[in-house]
Amino acid sequence: MKYELIGSIMPAVEVTLDSGESMFTQSGGMCWMSDNVSMKTNTRGGLLKGLGRKFAGESMFLTTYSATSDHAVIGFSSTVAGEILPIDFSQYGSLICQKGAFLCAEDSVNTQVAFTKKISSGLFGGEGFILQKLSGTGIGFLEVDGNKVIKDLAPGEVLKVDTGNLVAFEESVNYEVEMIKGGMNIFLGGEGLFITRLTGPGRVILQTQNIAEFAGRITRYFPSSN
């Protein structure tokens, strides 16, 4: 499998496959493909795995694209302005990702739900009880809103981040949610009640765009029903 990242503002990744090689993505993730590509859509692992992805905020069904001959071409594009980040899971091992971060991956990459370790994180973290775990030996691609920022945390090092700016982190990183201290900070600081606390060691991938906050600002300009 070979790939090329295309564009800068609204990027895409174009993948070239040899016969028998495959890529999978969420339903609707493909934007173009050559004639020598076959499609197969299913829950990829059974109904329970599909339902788990649904609860995680992802698509219940995944589509696999397989090359029927050499030099098959498939393009996958991002949904918002930002970056596409290739991840070699033979080096990472696994990553815990927020919903919406997964774009596409080689067939040798596994996707499964990952439950937050603490109830408070599930209730107040903004991502629910379920995140997504990606693992395996192939290459996968994450969708980053805005620009990526990568932090390598030392053992015991703490990074506090708005949940909407979190893309993914290694399993060695401890994930929990804490309440922001101080009434003035809560009501006037603009960050809400809770913030995500990440404790090293391990790598954390952040994004500069918080799409939920961006969407909230846009809706101010929508005409009202009145």
Side-chain angles (χ1 to χ4, degrees):
M1 187 272 284
K2 299 178 181 179
Y3 69 88
E4 179 185 3
L5 298 178
I6 301 172
S8 56
I9 298 175
M10 293 290 293
V13 56
E14 186 176 78
V15 178
T16 302
L17 303 175
D18 287 333
S19 180
E21 292 183 326
S22 300
M23 296 285 294
F24 70 95
T25 185
Q26 302 200 60
S27 297
M30 185 275 297
C31 53
W32 65 79
M33 65 180 182
S34 58
D35 191 48
N36 54 339
V37 176
S38 65
M39 296 173 54
K40 182 180 180 180
T41 302
N42 54 34
T43 56
R44 191 176 174 86
L47 180 61
L48 290 179
K49 281 194 173 182
L51 288 173
R53 286 193 300 271
K54 187 71 173 179
F55 288 132
E58 302 288 355
S59 173
M60 181 174 177
F61 296 94
L62 298 174
T63 302
T64 300
Y65 299 87
S66 301
T68 58
S69 61
D70 290 346
H71 309 299
V73 175
I74 317 169
F76 305 93
S77 62
S78 58
T79 54
V80 298
E83 297 185 43
I84 293 176
L85 178 63
I87 299 291
D88 186 348
F89 286 95
S90 63
Q91 298 179 7
Y92 268 87
S94 63
L95 280 178
I96 306 299
C97 304
Q98 70 150 330
K99 62 182 180 182
F102 172 71
L103 178 61
C104 60
E106 286 188 274
D107 202 45
S108 56
V109 174
N110 303 312
T111 63
Q112 63 188 92
V113 297
F115 292 89
T116 54
K117 296 180 180 179
K118 293 189 177 182
I119 293 178
S120 60
S121 300
L123 287 173
F124 307 119
E127 300 302 331
F129 287 100
I130 305 174
L131 299 171
Q132 189 172 36
K133 178 180 177 181
L134 302 179
S135 61
T137 57
I139 295 178
F141 298 89
L142 301 183
E143 185 174 346
V144 177
D145 301 340
N147 297 113
K148 68 178 180 294
V149 178
I150 297 177
K151 301 282 189 180
D152 290 307
L153 302 183
E157 183 179 358
V158 174
L159 181 68
K160 297 181 181 181
V161 57
D162 189 307
T163 305
N165 294 101
L166 179 61
V167 177
F169 53 91
E170 292 183 300
E171 280 195 280
S172 57
V173 175
N174 184 59
Y175 168 93
E176 57 185 319
V177 172
E178 64 179 30
M179 181 178 287
I180 292 178
K181 298 178 180 179
M184 294 292 285
N185 293 330
I186 291 173
F187 295 108
L188 301 178
E191 300 299 333
L193 287 172
F194 302 95
I195 195 167
T196 300
R197 178 187 176 98
L198 302 166
T199 306
R203 174 161 291 188
V204 175
I205 303 171
L206 307 174
Q207 58 190 11
T208 58
Q209 173 73 280
N210 184 330
I211 192 63
E213 182 178 317
F214 178 66
R217 292 194 177 190
I218 290 178
T219 56
R220 299 176 189 174
Y221 300 97
F222 288 176
S224 65
S225 58
N226 295 329

PDB file of all heavy atoms in Angstrom, residues 85-109:
ATOM      1  N   LEU A  85      -3.646  12.737   9.516  1.00  0.00           N
ATOM      2  CA  LEU A  85      -2.443  12.269  10.197  1.00  0.00           C
ATOM      3  C   LEU A  85      -2.283  10.764  10.008  1.00  0.00           C
ATOM      4  O   LEU A  85      -3.104   9.979  10.495  1.00  0.00           O
ATOM      5  CB  LEU A  85      -2.532  12.608  11.689  1.00  0.00           C
ATOM      6  CG  LEU A  85      -1.374  12.136  12.572  1.00  0.00           C
ATOM      7  CD1 LEU A  85      -0.069  12.811  12.146  1.00  0.00           C
ATOM      8  CD2 LEU A  85      -1.667  12.437  14.039  1.00  0.00           C
ATOM      9  N   PRO A  86      -1.229  10.313   9.286  1.00  0.00           N
ATOM     10  CA  PRO A  86      -0.985   8.870   9.153  1.00  0.00           C
ATOM     11  C   PRO A  86      -0.363   8.305  10.432  1.00  0.00           C
ATOM     12  O   PRO A  86       0.523   8.928  11.026  1.00  0.00           O
ATOM     13  CB  PRO A  86      -0.013   8.790   7.980  1.00  0.00           C
ATOM     14  CG  PRO A  86       0.674  10.107   7.941  1.00  0.00           C
ATOM     15  CD  PRO A  86      -0.290  11.122   8.493  1.00  0.00           C
ATOM     16  N   ILE A  87      -0.832   7.148  10.849  1.00  0.00           N
ATOM     17  CA  ILE A  87      -0.337   6.480  12.047  1.00  0.00           C
ATOM     18  C   ILE A  87       0.101   5.061  11.679  1.00  0.00           C
ATOM     19  O   ILE A  87      -0.693   4.288  11.139  1.00  0.00           O
ATOM     20  CB  ILE A  87      -1.414   6.399  13.145  1.00  0.00           C
ATOM     21  CG1 ILE A  87      -1.860   7.803  13.579  1.00  0.00           C
ATOM     22  CG2 ILE A  87      -0.909   5.596  14.339  1.00  0.00           C
ATOM     23  CD1 ILE A  87      -0.809   8.584  14.336  1.00  0.00           C
ATOM     24  N   ASP A  88       1.358   4.715  11.965  1.00  0.00           N
ATOM     25  CA  ASP A  88       1.853   3.356  11.760  1.00  0.00           C
ATOM     26  C   ASP A  88       1.672   2.587  13.069  1.00  0.00           C
ATOM     27  O   ASP A  88       2.405   2.797  14.027  1.00  0.00           O
ATOM     28  CB  ASP A  88       3.329   3.393  11.356  1.00  0.00           C
ATOM     29  CG  ASP A  88       3.869   2.014  10.984  1.00  0.00           C
ATOM     30  OD1 ASP A  88       3.171   1.018  11.248  1.00  0.00           O
ATOM     31  OD2 ASP A  88       4.984   1.941  10.436  1.00  0.00           O
ATOM     32  N   PHE A  89       0.679   1.701  13.104  1.00  0.00           N
ATOM     33  CA  PHE A  89       0.354   1.019  14.350  1.00  0.00           C
ATOM     34  C   PHE A  89       1.353  -0.076  14.709  1.00  0.00           C
ATOM     35  O   PHE A  89       1.319  -0.591  15.836  1.00  0.00           O
ATOM     36  CB  PHE A  89      -1.063   0.451  14.283  1.00  0.00           C
ATOM     37  CG  PHE A  89      -2.115   1.518  14.413  1.00  0.00           C
ATOM     38  CD1 PHE A  89      -2.687   2.083  13.286  1.00  0.00           C
ATOM     39  CD2 PHE A  89      -2.494   1.992  15.655  1.00  0.00           C
ATOM     40  CE1 PHE A  89      -3.636   3.085  13.400  1.00  0.00           C
ATOM     41  CE2 PHE A  89      -3.430   2.998  15.781  1.00  0.00           C
ATOM     42  CZ  PHE A  89      -4.005   3.546  14.657  1.00  0.00           C
ATOM     43  N   SER A  90       2.249  -0.424  13.804  1.00  0.00           N
ATOM     44  CA  SER A  90       3.325  -1.338  14.173  1.00  0.00           C
ATOM     45  C   SER A  90       4.316  -0.652  15.110  1.00  0.00           C
ATOM     46  O   SER A  90       5.066  -1.296  15.833  1.00  0.00           O
ATOM     47  CB  SER A  90       4.049  -1.844  12.927  1.00  0.00           C
ATOM     48  OG  SER A  90       4.669  -0.772  12.231  1.00  0.00           O
ATOM     49  N   GLN A  91       4.309   0.692  15.124  1.00  0.00           N
ATOM     50  CA  GLN A  91       5.163   1.460  16.029  1.00  0.00           C
ATOM     51  C   GLN A  91       4.402   1.925  17.269  1.00  0.00           C
ATOM     52  O   GLN A  91       4.912   1.890  18.381  1.00  0.00           O
ATOM     53  CB  GLN A  91       5.749   2.668  15.299  1.00  0.00           C
ATOM     54  CG  GLN A  91       6.643   2.307  14.116  1.00  0.00           C
ATOM     55  CD  GLN A  91       7.198   3.528  13.403  1.00  0.00           C
ATOM     56  OE1 GLN A  91       7.038   4.659  13.847  1.00  0.00           O
ATOM     57  NE2 GLN A  91       7.865   3.299  12.274  1.00  0.00           N
ATOM     58  N   TYR A  92       3.151   2.356  17.080  1.00  0.00           N
ATOM     59  CA  TYR A  92       2.354   2.857  18.197  1.00  0.00           C
ATOM     60  C   TYR A  92       1.801   1.729  19.058  1.00  0.00           C
ATOM     61  O   TYR A  92       1.642   1.865  20.259  1.00  0.00           O
ATOM     62  CB  TYR A  92       1.178   3.701  17.682  1.00  0.00           C
ATOM     63  CG  TYR A  92       1.481   5.176  17.579  1.00  0.00           C
ATOM     64  CD1 TYR A  92       2.055   5.698  16.440  1.00  0.00           C
ATOM     65  CD2 TYR A  92       1.187   6.046  18.621  1.00  0.00           C
ATOM     66  CE1 TYR A  92       2.328   7.048  16.325  1.00  0.00           C
ATOM     67  CE2 TYR A  92       1.445   7.403  18.521  1.00  0.00           C
ATOM     68  CZ  TYR A  92       2.032   7.897  17.362  1.00  0.00           C
ATOM     69  OH  TYR A  92       2.296   9.235  17.268  1.00  0.00           O
ATOM     70  N   GLY A  93       1.455   0.611  18.433  1.00  0.00           N
ATOM     71  CA  GLY A  93       0.785  -0.461  19.161  1.00  0.00           C
ATOM     72  C   GLY A  93      -0.715  -0.228  19.170  1.00  0.00           C
ATOM     73  O   GLY A  93      -1.475  -0.943  18.537  1.00  0.00           O
ATOM     74  N   SER A  94      -1.147   0.800  19.887  1.00  0.00           N
ATOM     75  CA  SER A  94      -2.574   1.137  19.926  1.00  0.00           C
ATOM     76  C   SER A  94      -2.749   2.596  20.334  1.00  0.00           C
ATOM     77  O   SER A  94      -1.870   3.191  20.962  1.00  0.00           O
ATOM     78  CB  SER A  94      -3.333   0.218  20.890  1.00  0.00           C
ATOM     79  OG  SER A  94      -2.868   0.392  22.215  1.00  0.00           O
ATOM     80  N   LEU A  95      -3.911   3.148  19.981  1.00  0.00           N
ATOM     81  CA  LEU A  95      -4.269   4.506  20.364  1.00  0.00           C
ATOM     82  C   LEU A  95      -5.725   4.529  20.797  1.00  0.00           C
ATOM     83  O   LEU A  95      -6.565   3.823  20.232  1.00  0.00           O
ATOM     84  CB  LEU A  95      -4.099   5.473  19.181  1.00  0.00           C
ATOM     85  CG  LEU A  95      -2.705   5.984  18.827  1.00  0.00           C
ATOM     86  CD1 LEU A  95      -2.802   6.874  17.587  1.00  0.00           C
ATOM     87  CD2 LEU A  95      -2.073   6.741  19.978  1.00  0.00           C
ATOM     88  N   ILE A  96      -6.023   5.354  21.795  1.00  0.00           N
ATOM     89  CA  ILE A  96      -7.399   5.619  22.201  1.00  0.00           C
ATOM     90  C   ILE A  96      -7.803   6.934  21.543  1.00  0.00           C
ATOM     91  O   ILE A  96      -7.143   7.960  21.739  1.00  0.00           O
ATOM     92  CB  ILE A  96      -7.536   5.713  23.727  1.00  0.00           C
ATOM     93  CG1 ILE A  96      -6.953   4.462  24.400  1.00  0.00           C
ATOM     94  CG2 ILE A  96      -9.005   5.901  24.111  1.00  0.00           C
ATOM     95  CD1 ILE A  96      -7.644   3.170  24.016  1.00  0.00           C
ATOM     96  N   CYS A  97      -8.861   6.903  20.741  1.00  0.00           N
ATOM     97  CA  CYS A  97      -9.244   8.068  19.945  1.00  0.00           C
ATOM     98  C   CYS A  97     -10.622   8.580  20.340  1.00  0.00           C
ATOM     99  O   CYS A  97     -11.493   7.810  20.750  1.00  0.00           O
ATOM    100  CB  CYS A  97      -9.267   7.711  18.461  1.00  0.00           C
ATOM    101  SG  CYS A  97      -7.714   7.043  17.841  1.00  0.00           S
ATOM    102  N   GLN A  98     -10.828   9.868  20.173  1.00  0.00           N
ATOM    103  CA  GLN A  98     -12.143  10.436  20.383  1.00  0.00           C
ATOM    104  C   GLN A  98     -13.001  10.159  19.155  1.00  0.00           C
ATOM    105  O   GLN A  98     -12.486   9.850  18.066  1.00  0.00           O
ATOM    106  CB  GLN A  98     -12.054  11.941  20.632  1.00  0.00           C
ATOM    107  CG  GLN A  98     -11.650  12.755  19.423  1.00  0.00           C
ATOM    108  CD  GLN A  98     -12.235  14.148  19.434  1.00  0.00           C
ATOM    109  OE1 GLN A  98     -13.312  14.379  19.966  1.00  0.00           O
ATOM    110  NE2 GLN A  98     -11.529  15.106  18.841  1.00  0.00           N
ATOM    111  N   LYS A  99     -14.307  10.265  19.331  1.00  0.00           N
ATOM    112  CA  LYS A  99     -15.207  10.029  18.204  1.00  0.00           C
ATOM    113  C   LYS A  99     -14.942  11.043  17.105  1.00  0.00           C
ATOM    114  O   LYS A  99     -14.657  12.208  17.351  1.00  0.00           O
ATOM    115  CB  LYS A  99     -16.658  10.105  18.662  1.00  0.00           C
ATOM    116  CG  LYS A  99     -17.085  11.453  19.229  1.00  0.00           C
ATOM    117  CD  LYS A  99     -18.531  11.389  19.696  1.00  0.00           C
ATOM    118  CE  LYS A  99     -18.968  12.735  20.269  1.00  0.00           C
ATOM    119  NZ  LYS A  99     -20.366  12.688  20.765  1.00  0.00           N
ATOM    120  N   GLY A 100     -15.027  10.562  15.866  1.00  0.00           N
ATOM    121  CA  GLY A 100     -14.792  11.416  14.719  1.00  0.00           C
ATOM    122  C   GLY A 100     -13.353  11.485  14.270  1.00  0.00           C
ATOM    123  O   GLY A 100     -13.060  12.061  13.226  1.00  0.00           O
ATOM    124  N   ALA A 101     -12.419  10.903  15.047  1.00  0.00           N
ATOM    125  CA  ALA A 101     -11.004  11.006  14.693  1.00  0.00           C
ATOM    126  C   ALA A 101     -10.603  10.012  13.610  1.00  0.00           C
ATOM    127  O   ALA A 101      -9.721  10.288  12.800  1.00  0.00           O
ATOM    128  CB  ALA A 101     -10.133  10.807  15.926  1.00  0.00           C
ATOM    129  N   PHE A 102     -11.251   8.847  13.566  1.00  0.00           N
ATOM    130  CA  PHE A 102     -10.867   7.811  12.609  1.00  0.00           C
ATOM    131  C   PHE A 102     -11.371   8.156  11.215  1.00  0.00           C
ATOM    132  O   PHE A 102     -12.542   8.459  11.016  1.00  0.00           O
ATOM    133  CB  PHE A 102     -11.432   6.460  13.041  1.00  0.00           C
ATOM    134  CG  PHE A 102     -11.248   5.363  12.030  1.00  0.00           C
ATOM    135  CD1 PHE A 102      -9.989   4.833  11.799  1.00  0.00           C
ATOM    136  CD2 PHE A 102     -12.329   4.884  11.302  1.00  0.00           C
ATOM    137  CE1 PHE A 102      -9.806   3.833  10.852  1.00  0.00           C
ATOM    138  CE2 PHE A 102     -12.152   3.877  10.364  1.00  0.00           C
ATOM    139  CZ  PHE A 102     -10.897   3.350  10.137  1.00  0.00           C
ATOM    140  N   LEU A 103     -10.462   8.092  10.223  1.00  0.00           N
ATOM    141  CA  LEU A 103     -10.831   8.327   8.833  1.00  0.00           C
ATOM    142  C   LEU A 103     -10.844   7.026   8.037  1.00  0.00           C
ATOM    143  O   LEU A 103     -11.865   6.638   7.481  1.00  0.00           O
ATOM    144  CB  LEU A 103      -9.878   9.336   8.195  1.00  0.00           C
ATOM    145  CG  LEU A 103     -10.128   9.642   6.702  1.00  0.00           C
ATOM    146  CD1 LEU A 103     -11.525  10.244   6.496  1.00  0.00           C
ATOM    147  CD2 LEU A 103      -9.056  10.585   6.162  1.00  0.00           C
ATOM    148  N   CYS A 104      -9.705   6.327   7.981  1.00  0.00           N
ATOM    149  CA  CYS A 104      -9.624   5.077   7.241  1.00  0.00           C
ATOM    150  C   CYS A 104      -8.360   4.338   7.684  1.00  0.00           C
ATOM    151  O   CYS A 104      -7.499   4.903   8.355  1.00  0.00           O
ATOM    152  CB  CYS A 104      -9.606   5.322   5.725  1.00  0.00           C
ATOM    153  SG  CYS A 104      -8.207   6.333   5.160  1.00  0.00           S
ATOM    154  N   ALA A 105      -8.253   3.073   7.277  1.00  0.00           N
ATOM    155  CA  ALA A 105      -7.096   2.281   7.694  1.00  0.00           C
ATOM    156  C   ALA A 105      -6.942   1.058   6.809  1.00  0.00           C
ATOM    157  O   ALA A 105      -7.882   0.642   6.114  1.00  0.00           O
ATOM    158  CB  ALA A 105      -7.231   1.846   9.152  1.00  0.00           C
ATOM    159  N   GLU A 106      -5.733   0.486   6.835  1.00  0.00           N
ATOM    160  CA  GLU A 106      -5.505  -0.792   6.185  1.00  0.00           C
ATOM    161  C   GLU A 106      -6.320  -1.877   6.886  1.00  0.00           C
ATOM    162  O   GLU A 106      -6.713  -1.740   8.047  1.00  0.00           O
ATOM    163  CB  GLU A 106      -4.024  -1.162   6.230  1.00  0.00           C
ATOM    164  CG  GLU A 106      -3.148  -0.373   5.286  1.00  0.00           C
ATOM    165  CD  GLU A 106      -1.735  -0.923   5.253  1.00  0.00           C
ATOM    166  OE1 GLU A 106      -0.934  -0.515   6.120  1.00  0.00           O
ATOM    167  OE2 GLU A 106      -1.433  -1.753   4.378  1.00  0.00           O
ATOM    168  N   ASP A 107      -6.529  -2.973   6.166  1.00  0.00           N
ATOM    169  CA  ASP A 107      -7.364  -4.050   6.688  1.00  0.00           C
ATOM    170  C   ASP A 107      -6.764  -4.692   7.934  1.00  0.00           C
ATOM    171  O   ASP A 107      -7.479  -5.315   8.715  1.00  0.00           O
ATOM    172  CB  ASP A 107      -7.574  -5.100   5.599  1.00  0.00           C
ATOM    173  CG  ASP A 107      -8.805  -5.950   5.836  1.00  0.00           C
ATOM    174  OD1 ASP A 107      -9.856  -5.379   6.177  1.00  0.00           O
ATOM    175  OD2 ASP A 107      -8.713  -7.190   5.699  1.00  0.00           O
ATOM    176  N   SER A 108      -5.456  -4.556   8.150  1.00  0.00           N
ATOM    177  CA  SER A 108      -4.790  -5.169   9.303  1.00  0.00           C
ATOM    178  C   SER A 108      -4.915  -4.344  10.581  1.00  0.00           C
ATOM    179  O   SER A 108      -4.411  -4.740  11.630  1.00  0.00           O
ATOM    180  CB  SER A 108      -3.308  -5.402   8.994  1.00  0.00           C
ATOM    181  OG  SER A 108      -2.681  -4.191   8.603  1.00  0.00           O
ATOM    182  N   VAL A 109      -5.575  -3.190  10.502  1.00  0.00           N
ATOM    183  CA  VAL A 109      -5.825  -2.360  11.691  1.00  0.00           C
ATOM    184  C   VAL A 109      -7.166  -2.758  12.304  1.00  0.00           C
ATOM    185  O   VAL A 109      -8.149  -2.962  11.596  1.00  0.00           O
ATOM    186  CB  VAL A 109      -5.830  -0.864  11.326  1.00  0.00           C
ATOM    187  CG1 VAL A 109      -6.235  -0.003  12.520  1.00  0.00           C
ATOM    188  CG2 VAL A 109      -4.454  -0.446  10.825  1.00  0.00           C
TER     189      VAL A 109
END
